[in-house]
Every structure is written in structure tokens, then in C-alpha cells.
């Protein structure tokens, strides 16, 4: 008898889990808001971001020149800058006021100023100065103009040194101008592309944020449709904590197993981003990350009272989470307080782990701290989700009992009036 009762409980638990999973999938595909955030947004957002940065680097940045020297040497320097792939000399200005006007009107993004003593200083063997003024609202514009001007100055320095050496061989000129030969190699991002640097981090963050939006919206809808603002309906299938948490998470995991494969594998391949990850390593890493994001979103969804609230959470957290992850801003420069805060979010460990796996070819052993942290988050957020959902189930049951008592009381009062 005890064995039969035990098997009956297990059967009933799995039946309830399957029912909750199916119901959650129905909500995901019937509710337009949940459908947009859980499926359409993660499908479309990566494409939008990747298309924006598809050129990888900024080329032909428009710049203005103020040549106060007007000598053949100063014109040669300007030609060197204009010949680079990064900068295009769009305007030659008579003075700095004219150049400032172009800068304010966004017709150019930088100004190169050559002083009146440019050629005379060089002829006299004195060091001269070339000033650069850039629009710092665009860091890539600043980088392009600075690199083009620096390379132009280095090339002219070599030519000036060779001219002063006199009659020498080409090999002697080479050794004199470059006694130490150097080679600039960009590891894991050979084209120095902005997309290869930023997009992998954004892809990981999209998974977490869309889960927050979708699960939060579903929770807000459940509360708005409930007379007593219940997150969990008072049905017989929703009486067990484990079946509720596992049933809901199973539905989200089924959806995001496909979404994650698309976001993490197909999008980088589609836009030819750096992708040297081992498939088995990436799969082993993606599983705890998706689970941690699901349970984290389920915990946060308990505090969502209205459908619109989750949008505020998304807008408020997305950019800060990208910064405190240590990708777009150096992790060593992040204050300790914000480092600790970043450990609360799966995206912090997910971004750092995925970038190393996908872009640097790291193994699980190489990213063991991030991998362990994600499994730890999965366990902690699963336990918290069980606790908060258990409370929601009890509240739903209490409200259902109170409602039944009120109905019975009204019936009794109605019977007494009839008598």
C-alpha cells in the first residue's frame, strides 16, 4: 500500500509538472507581450546590434586642418594623414575659429593644427608640436585621428633622420631609424574590430535581459488577471513547490535552448565574428548560464506587480550590467563594491566566460571560476525561487480558503433571510 501511494505521489507530481510546463508554453505563445520578449526580441536584437557594427572599424573620419605654416613640409604631413585609411581631410581652414564652427556643426570630428613654426623648428633641429582637437563624444573618431596623425609623424621622423644621416645605405638607414624592430599583433581580434569586441558580451546579456522581461511580464499578467493578485493560481496542479518551479523553468529552458543556440552560435557565424569555441565546451558552459538566468528571473518576477514594471527593470539594468561585467570597462578599475554587486547577476560570469571560450578558444578548465560561479548561482537562485514560490502558493491557498468561507457565509445569510 505504501509503495502504491508513493508511486501515485510521484505520478501526480510529474503530471502536475508536465501540465505547468505546457501551460507556461501556451502563455509564452499566446500572450503577445511574452512572445515578443521571449522569442522575437532575442531573435531580432542580435541582428540589429551586429548590423550597426558590421563595418568593425571606423574609416575616413572627416577632419579639418589649420595649417598656420603653409610650407611644403606642413603640406606633406597633411598628405600623410589624408593618405591613411582612418582619416579624410575634408576642410582646410584659415584659423581655429573656422575649424571650431565646423566641429560644432558636426561636419568634422577633429581638427589638426600645425603651428607657424612647424618647418622652421624642424630645419633648426628643434622639436615641433602638432596639436589635435577631437570630438570626445565618439571615442572611435578620436582613436582614428590620433593613430593617423601619430603614424604620419613617425613616417616623417624617419625621413628627416635619413636625410640628416647623409650618404648611407638602405640597411644603415633602417637600423638608424628603427634600432628596435617591433611588430603590432592584435590577439583574438586581428582587425581591431568593435563588433568582435562588443557583440559577444551583448549577446550574453540579451539572454539574461529577455528572460527577465519575458518571465516578469508573464508574472505581471498573472497578477493582473487574478482577482486577488495571485502569482500562482489556486488549482490542484499548483500545490507542490517543486512541480511549480521545475515546470515553469522547464518551459523556459526548452525555449531558450533553441534561442541560445541561435544567439551564441548562429549570429557570430552570420556576421563572421571571431568564433573559435569548442562546441562541447560552449554547450557545457551555456547550460548553467541559461539555468542561472531562468531561476534569477523567476526570483525577480515575484516582485513584479504590473506588466509595465519589468520594462523599467530592463531599461535600468542593461547598460550598468554591461559596464560592471568588466568587458566594456576594465575590471581592475571597477570599485570593490560594484564588483561584489556584479556577482549577483549571471551575466557577469556569463560574459567573461563566453568571451574567453568563443573569442580566445578557452577550455572549461581555463574559465573554471566563472563556470563554478554559474553553477553556484543556479543552486542558490533555485533554492530562493522555491522559497518565494512556496510562499506564493501558501498565499494563494489562504486567499482561496478565505474566498470559500466568504461564499459559505453569504449562502448561510441568504438561507436565513429566506427562512
Amino acid at each position: 500500500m505504501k509503495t502504491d501511494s508513493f508511486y501515485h505521489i510521484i505520478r501526480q507530481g510529474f503530471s502536475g509538472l508536465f501540465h505547468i510546463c505546457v501551460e507556461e508554453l501556451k502563455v509564452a505563445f499566446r500572450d503577445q507581450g511574452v512572445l515578443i520578449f521571449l522569442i522575437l526580441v532575442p531573435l531580432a536584437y542580435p541582428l540589429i546590434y551586429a548590423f550597426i557594427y558590421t563595418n568593425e572599424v571606423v574609416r575616413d573620419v572627416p577632419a579639418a586642418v589649420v595649417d598656420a605654416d603653409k610650407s611644403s613640409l606642413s603640406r606633406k604631413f597633411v598628405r600623410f594623414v589624408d593618405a591613411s585609411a582612418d582619416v579624410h581631410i575634408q576642410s582646410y581652414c584659415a584659423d581655429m575659429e573656422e575649424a571650431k564652427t565646423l566641429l560644432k556643426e558636426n561636419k568634422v570630428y577633429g581638427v589638426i593644427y600645425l603651428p607657424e613654426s612647424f618647418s622652421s623648428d624642424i630645419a633648426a633641429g628643434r622639436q615641433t608640436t602638432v596639436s589635435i582637437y577631437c570630438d570626445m563624444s565618439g571615442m572611435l573618431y578620436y582613436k582614428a585621428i590620433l593613430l593617423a596623425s601619430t603614424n604620419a609623424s613617425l613616417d616623417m621622423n624617419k625621413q628627416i633622420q635619413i636625410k640628416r644621416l647623409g650618404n648611407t645605405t638602405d640597411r644603415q638607414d633602417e637600423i638608424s631609424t628603427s634600432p628596435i624592430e617591433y611588430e603590432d599583433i592584435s590577439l583574438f581580434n586581428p582587425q581591431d574590430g568593435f563588433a568582435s569586441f562588443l557583440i559577444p558580451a551583448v549577446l550574453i546579456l540579451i539572454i539574461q535581459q529577455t528572460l527577465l522581461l519575458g518571465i516578469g511580464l508573464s508574472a505581471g499578467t498573472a497578477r493582473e488577471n487574478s482577482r486577488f493578485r495571485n502569482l500562482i493560481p489556486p488549482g490542484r496542479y499548483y500545490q507542490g513547490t517543486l512541480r511549480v518551479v521545475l515546470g515553469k523553468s522547464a518551459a523556459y529552458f526548452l525555449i531558450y535552448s533553441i534561442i541560445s543556440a541561435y544567439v551564441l552560435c548562429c549570429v557570430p557565424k552570420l556576421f563572421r565574428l571571431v568564433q573559435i569555441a569548442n562546441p562541447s565546451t560552449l554547450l557545457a558552459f551555456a547550460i548553467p548560464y541559461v539555468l542561472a538566468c531562468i531561476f534569477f528571473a523567476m526570483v525577480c518576477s515575484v516582485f513584479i506587480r504590473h506588466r509595465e514594471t519589468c520594462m523599467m527593470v530592463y531599461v535600468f539594468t542593461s547598460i550598468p550590467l554591461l559596464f560592471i561585467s568588466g568587458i566594456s570597462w576594465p575590471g581592475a578599475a571597477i570599485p570593490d563594491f560594484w564588483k561584489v554587486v556584479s556577482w549577483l547577476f549571471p551575466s557577469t560570469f556569463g560574459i567573461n566566460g563566453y568571451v574567453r571560450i568563443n573569442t580566445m578558444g578557452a577550455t572549461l578548465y581555463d574559465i573554471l571560476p566563472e563556470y563554478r560561479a554559474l553553477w553556484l548561482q543556479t543552486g542558490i537562485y533555485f533554492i530562493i525561487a522555491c522559497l518565494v514560490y512556496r510562499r506564493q502558493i501558501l498565499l494563494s491557498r489562504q486567499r482561496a480558503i478565505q474566498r470559500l468561507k466568504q461564499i459559505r457565509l453569504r449562502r448561510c445569510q441568504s438561507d436565513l433571510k429566506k427562512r
Side-chain angles (χ1 to χ4, degrees):
M1 292 293 292
K2 289 183 178 179
T3 305
D4 293 340
S5 176
F6 177 73
Y7 280 123
H8 176 71
I9 293 172
I10 292 178
R11 242 187 346 262
Q12 191 178 25
F14 276 104
S15 175
L17 189 151
F18 181 75
H19 174 82
I20 293 169
C21 179
V22 171
E23 288 300 314
E24 206 65 27
L25 287 172
K26 288 180 180 178
V27 170
F29 287 96
R30 286 178 180 174
D31 189 316
Q32 291 184 355
V34 179
L35 177 67
I36 288 172
F37 290 129
L38 279 184
I39 298 175
L40 297 183
V41 168
L43 290 177
Y45 256 39
L47 298 179
I48 295 172
Y49 275 104
F51 271 122
I52 291 172
Y53 302 114
T54 190
N55 290 331
E56 289 277 12
V57 293
V58 175
R59 299 295 189 193
D60 290 329
V61 176
V65 170
V66 178
D67 185 2
D69 188 39
K70 295 182 176 63
S71 65
S72 60
L73 204 58
S74 64
R75 288 194 293 271
K76 185 177 182 181
F77 180 87
V78 174
R79 286 198 302 272
F80 275 25
V81 175
D82 196 23
S84 69
D86 297 323
V87 176
H88 167 62
I89 304 300
Q90 182 168 297
S91 302
Y92 292 83
C93 302
D95 52 31
M96 282 299 298
E97 290 303 318
E98 182 183 350
K100 287 179 183 178
T101 302
L102 294 176
L103 200 61
K104 290 177 182 178
E105 294 175 353
N106 289 329
K107 292 182 179 179
V108 297
Y109 295 100
V111 178
I112 301 173
Y113 177 78
L114 286 82
E116 190 175 353
S117 60
F118 181 81
S119 60
S120 59
D121 285 342
I122 294 175
R126 294 191 298 267
Q127 189 179 49
T128 190
T129 302
V130 175
S131 301
I132 300 173
Y133 303 88
C134 293
D135 181 359
M136 293 303 292
S137 62
M139 293 297 293
L140 293 181
Y141 298 144
Y142 163 73
K143 176 187 173 184
I145 296 173
L146 177 64
L147 286 178
S149 302
T150 302
N151 291 333
S153 65
L154 290 174
D155 289 340
M156 284 194 67
N157 285 340
K158 288 182 180 180
Q159 293 183 7
I160 293 169
Q161 287 178 11
I162 292 170
K163 187 176 181 180
R164 288 176 178 174
L165 287 173
N167 295 325
T168 54
T169 64
D170 292 341
R171 182 57 180 165
Q172 288 175 327
D173 293 340
E174 184 180 348
I175 294 173
S176 299
T177 56
S178 300
I180 299 176
E181 186 69 28
Y182 72 93
E183 188 176 0
D184 184 14
I185 300 174
S186 300
L187 295 175
F188 311 116
N189 189 1
Q191 69 272 33
D192 286 329
F194 196 72
S196 298
F197 153 71
L198 185 65
I199 294 301
V202 172
L203 295 178
I204 282 287
L205 188 60
I206 284 173
I207 292 175
Q208 176 185 282
Q209 296 301 88
T210 51
L211 273 167
L212 273 172
L213 277 170
I215 296 176
L217 193 68
S218 178
T221 304
R223 289 188 184 277
E224 289 183 358
N225 293 338
S226 173
R227 181 179 177 183
F228 297 101
R229 300 289 178 180
N230 291 326
L231 178 62
I232 308 298
R236 66 185 182 90
Y237 289 108
Y238 293 87
Q239 295 305 310
T241 305
L242 278 178
R243 74 176 70 170
V244 171
V245 174
L246 292 177
K248 285 177 172 288
S249 60
Y252 304 136
F253 187 79
L254 286 173
I255 295 172
Y256 267 75
S257 59
I258 301 171
I259 294 295
S260 299
Y262 163 77
V263 170
L264 301 181
C265 299
C266 297
V267 172
K269 187 176 288 293
L270 185 64
F271 290 92
R272 298 180 182 178
L273 302 177
V274 178
Q275 192 177 29
I276 56 176
N278 183 288
S280 59
T281 302
L282 186 57
L283 175 64
F285 182 79
I287 289 173
Y289 176 70
V290 173
L291 288 174
C293 288
I294 288 171
F295 294 128
F296 172 70
M298 290 177 69
V299 171
C300 294
S301 69
V302 174
F303 305 100
I304 302 297
R305 302 293 173 179
H306 304 282
R307 287 169 63 92
E308 297 80 10
T309 308
C310 58
M311 286 298 298
M312 297 174 61
V313 173
Y314 176 83
V315 172
F316 178 75
T317 59
S318 294
I319 299 300
L321 287 180
L322 190 62
F323 275 100
I324 65 177
S325 68
I327 291 295
S328 61
W329 181 259
I334 298 175
D336 293 336
F337 171 77
W338 290 110
K339 282 184 181 179
V340 175
V341 170
S342 71
W343 296 343
L344 299 174
F345 302 94
S347 58
T348 299
F349 303 106
I351 288 172
N352 286 281
Y354 175 68
V355 167
R356 293 177 189 177
I357 291 172
N358 190 68
T359 309
M360 303 179 184
T363 63
L364 284 181
Y365 181 79
D366 297 324
I367 49 99
L368 206 54
E370 289 82 6
Y371 188 62
R372 287 174 175 171
L374 286 174
W375 276 118
L376 184 63
Q377 284 184 331
T378 299
I380 291 173
Y381 284 125
F382 172 72
I383 293 171
I384 296 174
C386 288
L387 292 175
V388 294
Y389 270 76
R390 179 62 182 170
R391 175 170 171 74
Q392 295 300 318
I393 292 170
L394 293 176
L395 287 173
S396 178
R397 188 182 301 170
Q398 289 174 5
R399 289 163 181 165
I401 292 172
Q402 289 176 359
R403 186 182 178 187
L404 287 173
K405 287 181 179 179
Q406 290 175 355
I407 291 172
R408 288 175 183 174
L409 182 61
R410 288 172 185 172
R411 286 179 179 175
C412 290
Q413 290 175 348
S414 178
D415 291 342
L416 287 173
K417 287 180 180 179
K418 289 179 180 178
R419 293 177 184 177

